[in-house]
Amino acid sequence: QVQLVESGGGLVQAGGSLRLSCVASGSIFSINAMGWYRQAPGKQREWVANITLTGRSNYADSAKGRFTISMDSARKKVYLQIYTLQPEDTAVYYCNAETLSATLAPSDYWGKGTLVTVTS
């Protein structure tokens, strides 16, 4: 079992920056990858970025250029740095962790989310 807690969201002016954090606890040794999703008001949840244990990061097209994902060496924290925030970035941002069992069966865990509100 993995527990995830996000932080760092808030109200920010357009053009500003935020760094979101996610702290993992529990069976963090089983984490294979971590990532971020977001859900804007009235819209479905959208994948933003993820990072693997090898340090390889991947980004959605909407996130390329302004978003940077990173993870500490202990796999306890994952970060999402967002530059030049835009009103369309307003969403609840969720942390995600993928674990692998001994049989390589994947499982996904989610945090409760942190709200980012960008004003124009």
Side-chain angles (χ1 to χ4, degrees), residues 2-80:
V2 174
Q3 296 79 46
L4 304 170
V5 180
E6 303 96 335
S7 63
L11 184 66
V12 64
Q13 298 280 350
S17 300
L18 281 176
R19 187 179 70 173
L20 308 182
S21 299
C22 174
V23 179
S25 61
S27 301
I28 58 175
F29 56 86
S30 64
I31 294 176
N32 181 63
M34 300 185 72
W36 289 91
Y37 290 69
R38 67 183 182 184
Q39 187 168 19
K43 298 183 179 179
Q44 64 183 7
R45 188 172 298 186
E46 173 190 33
W47 172 69
V48 176
N50 71 333
I51 186 167
T52 69
L53 292 181
T54 62
R56 180 178 298 176
S57 58
N58 305 280
Y59 299 91
D61 288 340
S62 61
K64 293 178 180 177
R66 297 192 298 113
F67 291 65
T68 301
I69 189 170
S70 60
M71 182 172 61
D72 68 6
S73 59
R75 296 173 293 173
K76 186 176 181 180
K77 291 185 177 181
V78 65
Y79 306 92
L80 185 69

Side-chain angles (χ1 to χ4, degrees), residues 58-104:
N58 305 280
Y59 299 91
D61 288 340
S62 61
K64 293 178 180 177
R66 297 192 298 113
F67 291 65
T68 301
I69 189 170
S70 60
M71 182 172 61
D72 68 6
S73 59
R75 296 173 293 173
K76 186 176 181 180
K77 291 185 177 181
V78 65
Y79 306 92
L80 185 69
Q81 179 71 49
I82 313 175
Y83 300 99
T84 318
L85 281 157
Q86 303 170 4
E88 54 263 39
D89 294 322
T90 295
V92 177
Y93 285 73
Y94 297 92
C95 181
N96 164 260
E98 179 190 81
T99 64
L100 294 177
S101 70
T103 58
L104 301 183

